[in-house]
Structure formats: structure tokens, C-alpha cells
Amino acid sequence: MAEGGVLEQDTDRHDGVTQSRIFDIPIDLSRPADMLRRITAWADDGHVRAPRRVMYVNAHVLNQSAETPALREALETADLVYCDGYGVRLAAKALDVEIPHRMTGADWIWGLAALCEAQGRSIYLLGSDPGVASKAAARLRRWYPRLQVTGTHHGYFDAGSPHDERVVEDINAKRPDIVLVGMGSPKQELWVEHNKDRVDASVLWTVGALFDYVSGRVPRAPAWLADNGLEWIFRLAVEPQRMWRRYLLGNPVFVSRVMAQARARQHPAGAARS
């Protein structure tokens, strides 16, 4: 890395996959369908190695990565990090790096379910409030009756606690191929890091509030908002008490960070002196 946090190289290749770097986080540039096929193919590795780690970034996660070193390290070392938010695409444009495709959980989950059903892969849903993951599993099975959902559990426990031990034991007893972890950031990423060498699965995948959408607990934004990068307005209107800090405070912070890095890229000598 160059002085002042400016990247010397903004696009690189890892295991044959092209990535853009935003705030030094490597973000996959593959198309969503290709990413899904790669992730499900990792199940062919069986359970003989540590699970592959799949994570996402949006403006909120990137903001938190600046404040939580353990989250930043998790994102930097994950096997695949993808874009889940228009803020990341806008940041890529402002920083003049290749723009990643956006892959949102409420969309890709159905493609994942179809692939898993066709290939005989199994999944485990971990996270959200009690009962929500099981409702999400029931809805997935309604559309994909042969989908193997080996188990579900809520996300209200702490990593390293006795409850956590029981959850890991349950997952290991059921040996799913893919564990979807929806606890919110940074808790979900830190849980994955804490348990990556203890969980008997092929893939650990952080998914945020995915189960809330799949279960129908939280409505999705209208397509005309989501397709134009304005989904955050809908989420703020639906859950103002939970989301106001993330969007009304977090979005301006994210924009200021992007602009600061863009200026540093244009004037690296000045960034080095500051």
C-alpha cells in the first residue's frame, strides 16, 4: 500500500479471479451466476478442509471495517467477497476502479436453492430472531421441495459461549455443505472467524438480514427503488428505529471516506504529507 492509504494496485487476480480493491478490501468482479456456481462447486471439496468463507460488502460493512480491525481482517482473508449495495458500485466509479456486479441476498438465495436442489447440496440457516430462520427454510422448501435444509437456529448468542458450543455441535452433527450465517455485521463475520476451524461444512457464508426477507417478515423495496440504488430509503421507512443511524449517519461518513480516498489518489504527494 502507498502512503496515505492510497492503493498501488486497484485490480488484481486471485486464484484466476479478477478483483477490485476498495479501501483495500478485495471485491470479486465475477457475474453473480458464476459466483453461485463457484460457491456450490466448493462443496465438491467435501469436509476435508477448513470451510471456504464467503462474505459481502456494502457501505455499512465498509464503514464498520474502518472501526473494527477484526472485521477488516476477516474481509481481507475471505475466499470470496462480493458487492451487495449500490454504494460500493458508486465508490468504485469514484475511485476509478472496475465496478463489481451487485449480488443481493434476496435475489441470489433462489438461485442458490435451485442449484443446491439440483446438485444435492445441503444448507443450514443460522441467524435472525427465533423462529425466523425456520420460516425462511419452510418457504424455500415450498418452492424447492427436494432442497435439503439440514437445520436452522436463531442468532441470539455470543461466540465462545456455551450456547455457541451447542450450535456448533448441532451443525457438525448435521454436516451441511453450506452454512448461511445471518447475524448482522460485524457479529456474523466474527462468528465465522471464531468458528471457521471448528465447523464441519464446506462453506460459511455471511448473509445479513436475508432470512427476514425470505420468511416474509420484512418486505422488499419496490423494484424501481432497488434498481436505482434507493432501497435504503425504503428500509429506513420500514425500520426507522433500527436503520436511521446506519443510513442518516453512515451514508455521509461513507461518502466522505470515498471522496477523501479519491482526492488522495489524485494527489498522492499531498496525502503522504497529511
Side-chain angles (χ1 to χ4, degrees):
M1 182 182 293
E3 294 285 348
V6 183
L7 301 179
E8 295 174 339
Q9 182 176 348
D10 300 301
T11 303
D12 55 24
R13 295 183 68 84
H14 176 70
D15 292 337
V17 177
T18 306
Q19 302 168 328
S20 280
R21 288 183 172 269
I22 298 176
F23 301 132
D24 214 22
I25 304 298
I27 302 173
D28 200 292
L29 294 173
S30 304
R31 294 184 178 277
D34 294 332
M35 280 191 269
L36 286 179
R37 284 191 289 267
R38 194 186 335 151
I39 293 166
T40 54
W42 282 336
D44 290 332
D45 294 341
H47 298 246
V48 297
R49 50 158 291 160
R52 306 271 191 161
R53 290 163 294 145
V54 178
M55 301 180 182
Y56 66 88
V57 288
N58 52 30
H60 176 62
V61 174
L62 288 175
N63 276 347
Q64 289 189 314
S65 73
E67 303 169 358
T68 309
L71 172 59
R72 168 171 285 278
E73 182 177 357
L75 293 169
E76 290 176 345
T77 60
D79 294 278
L80 189 156
V81 177
Y82 62 93
C83 166
D84 176 21
Y86 271 98
V88 177
R89 289 172 55 84
L90 292 173
K93 185 175 182 179
L95 297 172
D96 197 25
V97 301
E98 192 167 350
I99 300 173
H101 295 277
R102 181 173 179 244
M103 189 168 85
T104 62
D107 292 324
W108 62 247
I109 184 59
W110 306 104
L112 176 69
L115 283 173
C116 287
E117 183 186 58
Q119 298 173 5
R121 310 299 190 199
S122 59
I123 63 175
Y124 187 109
L125 275 55
L126 172 63
S128 199
D129 290 335
V132 174
S134 60
K135 290 180 181 177
R139 191 173 181 200
L140 288 171
R141 287 197 193 101
R142 193 177 309 141
W143 287 97
Y144 300 95
R146 297 187 305 279
L147 176 64
Q148 300 175 49
V149 182
T150 63
T152 65
H153 196 284
H154 66 78
Y156 280 81
F157 58 90
D158 295 322
S161 66
H163 195 152
D164 185 30
E165 293 295 324
R166 294 193 296 272
V167 170
V168 171
E169 289 173 3
D170 186 55
I171 294 172
N172 290 346
K174 293 169 179 174
R175 304 187 75 238
D177 292 311
I178 300 172
V179 180
L180 302 179
V181 185
M183 300 176 178
S185 181
K187 182 178 179 180
Q188 59 193 6
E189 292 86 0
L190 300 185
W191 185 90
V192 166
E193 290 303 294
H194 179 76
N195 290 296
K196 63 186 178 184
D197 297 320
R198 304 171 63 236
V199 173
D200 189 0
S202 296
V203 177
L204 297 175
W205 187 343
T206 60
V207 300
L210 174 62
F211 307 148
D212 290 339
Y213 294 113
V214 176
S215 67
R217 178 189 183 193
V218 175
R220 289 200 66 189
W224 66 270
L225 279 176
D227 293 344
N228 289 283
L230 300 175
E231 187 173 6
W232 68 272
I233 296 176
F234 183 83
R235 294 192 67 186
L236 180 61
V238 171
E239 300 180 278
Q241 290 187 328
R242 191 167 79 90
M243 294 296 180
W244 75 269
R245 187 179 299 274
R246 174 185 301 191
Y247 294 126
L248 298 185
L249 300 183
N251 282 358
V253 169
F254 181 72
V255 170
S256 68
R257 291 182 63 213
V258 171
M259 293 301 99
Q261 185 163 16
R263 288 192 298 270
R265 286 171 52 85
Q266 295 172 356
H267 307 287
R273 290 192 299 269
S274 61

